[in-house]
Amino acid sequence: MGFFIETLIGGLMAGMLYSLVALGFVLIFKSSGVFNFAQGAMVLFAALAMARFSEWANHALGGDSLLLANLIAFVGAGLAMLFVAWAVERFVLRKLVNQEGATLLMVTLGITYVLEGVGQTIFGSEIYNIDVGMPKEPVMMLESMFEGGILINKEDFIAALIAAVLVGLLTLFFQKTPVGRALRAVADDHQAAQSIGIPLNRIWVIVWLVAGIVALVAGIIWGSKLGVQFSLATVALRALPVVILGGLTSVPGAIVGGLIIGVGEKLSEVYIGPMVGGGIEIWFAYVLALVFLLFRPQGLFGEKIINRV
């Protein structure tokens, strides 16, 4: 029983990290109707900025204060993502208002390659480490309740807690603030939103900035775990089944979908993997997403589209 609980907790913590990346997709699609294939590149760009700014700040401070260096780096990386948000709106989205979804999708693919190329040019292509002081040693818990106890990775636990707090704040932002309501109005109809005085260009800058901050937090967490390298951009692919499962327009769906995928991957790898030769954790999420596409394409919490003729 203790091993099952340990596996379950590990899956929940991994699921929260998937949810964090999936939120970037949901935020932009919910407010602009654009499926942002550049989300993985945004995670990579933000992580590169954080790693390099932290390195430069730490060198400038003589290595005396890691916390201050990381704080400076976080602000600098945040400003970099603000610039990315402004540039995307100013030079791309502003010229493509009310264009077809396929056009906007292809544009985000172009943004992907631009961000990867610019990131490599500015920050270099080496593998960098992000040290934000999160403990990496596992800890044994609940030894009195379960024989042998439950092994918990401290870094995964703290990362999952940070992701959960950010997800909660974003949920409140969308549901309770005037800006959040304006974002939802823009997603429903660009022209109608403009007709009632909602500034489309400002809203798009805000939503891409929020998605950029989400990408920054995700980049810091994944960069701390895996190192900052260009393969980090593929982390967004792990979030695609989460988006499909939870629904493209639902922030709670991203949370629930991430938890389901995380737990399903861990449990299937442990209990089903030995029967099929292992490796099930790699493709389990995609098979589950395919099943949902067949029977409920809008996802668990997505809005069902009804066409009237």
Side-chain angles (χ1 to χ4, degrees), residues 142-292:
L142 303 177
E143 294 179 87
S144 60
M145 295 179 60
F146 302 100
E147 184 180 353
I150 295 176
L151 191 65
I152 301 294
N153 188 304
K154 289 183 181 179
E155 184 180 34
D156 287 347
F157 179 77
I158 294 173
L161 186 62
I162 292 171
V165 170
L166 183 58
V167 166
L169 291 175
L170 288 172
T171 301
L172 291 175
F173 171 74
F174 260 97
Q175 299 297 329
K176 302 297 183 181
T177 65
V179 175
R181 289 190 288 270
L183 292 176
R184 299 203 306 272
V186 169
D188 290 338
D189 192 315
H190 295 169
Q191 290 181 329
Q194 286 181 304
S195 69
I196 61 174
I198 295 176
L200 194 60
N201 55 347
R202 189 185 306 169
I203 290 297
W204 272 349
V205 169
I206 291 173
V207 74
W208 277 77
L209 173 60
V210 173
I213 297 301
V214 171
L216 174 57
V217 176
I220 291 172
I221 292 173
W222 285 100
S224 175
K225 288 168 61 66
L226 307 175
V228 180
Q229 49 193 313
F230 274 75
S231 62
L232 193 64
T234 62
V235 75
L237 297 177
R238 303 296 297 272
L240 286 178
V242 175
V243 175
I244 294 170
L245 188 64
L248 270 171
T249 58
S250 175
V251 172
I255 305 168
V256 175
L259 296 178
I260 292 174
I261 293 293
V263 170
E265 283 185 348
K266 297 298 183 183
L267 292 179
S268 62
E269 182 66 24
V270 170
Y271 293 103
I272 304 176
M275 303 178 190
V276 297
I280 191 173
E281 188 175 1
I282 298 174
W283 51 262
F284 170 84
Y286 297 95
V287 172
L288 185 60
L290 177 60
V291 172
F292 264 79

